[in-house]
């Protein structure tokens, strides 16, 4: 099953259950949202989760591209991506959590052929302010799925204030042999689908008040589930990365972790550029700049003559087509090479600055602030240069 088949199976399954498909947005969140990028499918739906009626009703389904800067340091392992797609469903004051979980179980086991014996769930076990999520616990027990109770790990919140509530996470066993242990004790249990029941609102003082209308928000990582269904050892071996795995290794010889980071960051940079962001020193543009510069740092570690200008146009076009973006591939490559030239000039300047007597010993916080504010050298770049 490839990603396109999984998307169609998912959406049709929930459309058969009364959900209306809504279009996914770009990576840029709606006005007023404090996050730099859309990090989940619920971000564009925030007004409706807050109570505004949605024009298509109370049952929705979609596919949303997302970017999470919090996972940048995790990229290179088997499950994390910077830009990924999230399959989502919502109940806006319609059905409750257990029905959502029951449908998820049915899709996974009957629609997608997952062995029920490879599933594990986690459920909110209660804390000093809220009781356990007994409804979700009962659903999983009725289906014969083992359950682990947690507190903080299964309480979802959209920031310090706003809607929040218990969630139930569905895990799929990725190891060899029969499943062992539990999700919090063995990372071979891979989280694939989270179901949040928004029951409360957290106020400025940290207190919780019940919401007048309960919503259900679910998110399933497309590439992560696809890789598990395809039996691959990482998300970087599922079908959406096939062109990258085929074309990048002959171009740049890299160890496996570096190859994953380079493919992920370049692919993510293409998507960010395709959504209209340009490299800069602040905000979204700085995230894009960090992605490109981390790629270049890895490429130049073994061969300074390497450059993003060598990136095959096929990979740029494949990514733009997959995310339905109409930016010309040549424009993408031009922005990447412009950023590469800018980074080379900055490195040359940084080496000269750091060679000054003042910066030859241990650097203080004052030194780092001076290097950033006066010479445009961020601390992570300073660290890289001092390792040379």
């Amino acid at each position: 099953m490839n990603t396109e088949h999984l998307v169609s199976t998912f959406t049709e399954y929930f459309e058969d259950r009364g959900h209306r498909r809504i279009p996914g947005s770009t990576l840029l969140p709606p006005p007023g949202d404090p996050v730099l990028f859309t990090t989940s499918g619920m971000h564009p739906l925030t007004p409706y989760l807050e109570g505004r009626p949605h024009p298509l009703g109370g049952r929705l389904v979609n596919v949303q591209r997302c970017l999470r800067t919090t996972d940048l340091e995790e990229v290179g392992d088997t499950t994390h991506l910077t830009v990924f797609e999230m399959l989502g469903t919502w109940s806006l004051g319609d059905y409750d959590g257990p029905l959502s979980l029951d449908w998820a179980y049915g899709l996974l086991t009957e629609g997608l052929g997952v062995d029920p014996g490879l599933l594990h769930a986690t459920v909110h076990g209660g804390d000093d302010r809220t009781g356990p999520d007994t409804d979700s616990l009962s659903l999983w027990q009725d289906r014969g799925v083992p359950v682990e109770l947690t507190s903080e790990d299964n309480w979802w919140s959209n920031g310090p204030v706003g809607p929040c509530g218990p969630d139930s996470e569905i895990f799929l066993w990725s190891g060899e042999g029969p499943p062992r242990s539990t999700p919090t004790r063995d990372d071979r249990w891979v989280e694939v689908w989270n179901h949040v029941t928004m029951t409360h609102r957290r106020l400025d003082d940290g207190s919780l008040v019940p919401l007048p209308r309960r919503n259900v928000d679910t998110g399933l990582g497309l590439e992560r589930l696809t890789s598990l269904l395809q039996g691959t050892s990482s998300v970087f071996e599922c079908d959406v990365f096939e062109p990258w795995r085929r074309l990048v290794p002959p171009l740049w010889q890299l160890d496996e972790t570096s190859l994953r980071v380079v493919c992920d960051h370049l692919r993510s940079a293409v998507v960010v550029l395709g959504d209209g962001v340009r490299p800069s020193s602040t905000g979204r543009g700085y995230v894009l700049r960090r992605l490109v510069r981390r790629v270049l740092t890895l490429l130049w570690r073994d061969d300074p003559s390497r450059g993003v200008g060598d990136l095959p146009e096929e990979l740029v076009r494949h990514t733009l087509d997959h995310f339905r973006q109409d930016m010309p591939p040549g424009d993408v490559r031009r922005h990447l090479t412009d950023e590469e030239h800018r980074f080379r000039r900055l490195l040359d300047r940084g080496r000269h600055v750091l060679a000054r007597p003042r910066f030859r010993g241990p650097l203080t916080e004052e030194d780092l602030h001076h290097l950033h504010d006066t010479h445009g050298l961020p601390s992570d770049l300073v660290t890289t240069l001092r390792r040379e």
Side-chain angles (χ1 to χ4, degrees):
M1 177 172 291
N2 61 28
T3 51
E4 294 301 320
H5 187 192
L6 179 52
V7 168
S8 62
T9 300
F10 179 88
T11 53
E12 290 169 9
Y13 180 89
F14 283 98
E15 285 174 335
D16 289 344
R17 287 154 181 79
H19 294 67
R20 301 287 298 276
R21 181 166 181 174
I22 57 175
S25 72
T26 71
L27 287 175
L28 308 186
D33 196 312
V35 299
L36 289 176
F37 292 99
T38 298
T39 61
S40 67
M42 61 82 60
H43 270 130
L45 292 171
T46 299
Y48 308 105
L49 294 169
E50 295 279 1
R52 182 190 302 175
H54 195 282
L56 293 182
R59 297 186 180 190
L60 307 174
V61 60
N62 90 337
V63 183
Q64 174 63 51
R65 58 177 172 268
C66 306
L67 186 154
R68 292 186 179 171
T69 57
T70 53
D71 290 339
L72 281 180
E73 298 305 317
E74 303 294 330
V75 172
D77 67 3
T78 60
T79 62
H80 287 89
L81 297 170
T82 304
V83 167
F84 60 94
E85 291 185 281
M86 183 76 77
L87 305 177
T89 64
W90 292 271
S91 164
L92 304 177
D94 193 320
Y95 55 85
D96 216 338
L99 180 56
S100 178
L101 294 173
D102 191 32
W103 281 338
Y105 178 82
L107 174 60
L108 290 171
T109 58
E110 299 174 15
L112 300 177
V114 173
D115 180 353
L118 300 179
L119 296 176
H120 204 301
T122 59
V123 169
H124 183 63
D127 53 28
D128 57 354
R129 293 186 296 181
T130 59
D133 182 3
T134 55
D135 291 338
S136 296
L137 176 61
S138 296
L139 183 283
W140 290 126
Q141 290 173 336
D142 289 344
R143 297 294 174 273
V145 175
V147 179
E148 182 178 22
L149 298 176
T150 80
S151 54
E152 292 183 4
D153 288 346
N154 285 100
W155 183 265
W156 179 91
S157 179
N158 187 32
V161 297
C164 56
D167 67 36
S168 180
E169 298 175 359
I170 304 173
F171 292 78
L172 184 58
W173 178 251
S174 66
E176 297 182 0
R180 301 170 56 185
S181 193
T182 66
T184 64
R185 297 190 180 101
D186 193 323
D187 60 11
R188 288 175 293 180
W189 286 108
V190 178
E191 179 193 346
V192 293
W193 204 344
N194 189 16
H195 291 242
V196 179
T197 302
M198 300 179 186
T199 57
H200 292 77
R201 175 184 297 279
R202 180 180 284 122
L203 304 181
D204 290 330
D205 63 2
S207 61
L208 300 177
V209 296
L211 288 172
R213 187 187 75 176
R214 295 156 67 98
N215 302 311
V216 178
D217 163 34
T218 87
L220 182 156
L222 174 60
E223 297 89 350
R224 186 176 292 185
L225 181 58
T226 301
S227 69
L228 291 168
L229 294 177
Q230 292 177 350
T232 66
S233 60
S234 80
V235 288
F236 296 96
E237 295 177 32
C238 73
D239 61 290
V240 294
F241 277 95
E242 186 279 328
W244 293 85
R245 301 289 303 199
R246 172 167 46 86
L247 296 175
V248 172
L251 182 65
W252 302 313
Q253 292 186 355
L254 300 162
D255 63 76
E256 179 61 27
T257 299
S258 297
L259 175 64
R260 292 173 180 177
V261 173
V262 166
C263 291
D264 169 89
H265 283 17
L266 282 175
R267 178 175 178 265
S268 299
V270 172
V271 182
V272 174
L273 284 165
D275 276 349
V277 178
R278 300 294 177 260
S280 69
S281 58
T282 59
R284 299 183 182 101
Y286 185 62
V287 173
L288 174 58
R289 176 162 287 172
R290 284 179 62 198
L291 292 172
V292 177
R293 290 182 175 180
R294 192 177 185 198
V295 167
L296 293 169
T297 300
L298 289 172
L299 294 181
W300 294 342
R301 183 178 58 193
D302 298 323
D303 185 353
S305 68
R306 292 169 172 173
V308 292
D310 299 327
L311 185 68
E313 183 173 312
E314 177 184 341
L315 295 180
V316 178
R317 188 177 300 279
H318 174 269
T319 302
L320 293 171
D321 289 346
H322 180 80
F323 288 95
R324 300 164 295 280
Q325 297 170 306
D326 58 6
M327 186 176 184
D331 290 353
V332 172
R333 288 159 59 89
R334 177 172 54 81
H335 285 296
L336 291 175
T337 54
D338 286 349
E339 185 59 26
E340 177 184 332
H341 296 153
R342 189 177 295 110
F343 190 40
R344 283 191 187 276
R345 292 193 297 269
L346 180 61
L347 288 176
D348 290 340
R349 186 170 72 250
R351 292 186 183 98
H352 284 99
V353 171
L354 292 176
R356 297 174 183 175
R358 171 181 175 179
F359 304 118
R360 289 178 182 170
L363 298 178
T364 66
E365 286 297 319
E366 181 181 355
D367 291 329
L368 292 173
H369 284 301
H370 175 80
L371 289 167
H372 181 272
D373 296 342
T374 305
H375 301 285
L377 300 173
S379 58
D380 56 345
L381 179 57
V382 171
T383 302
T384 299
L385 289 173
R386 284 171 66 89
R387 290 199 191 110
E388 292 183 348

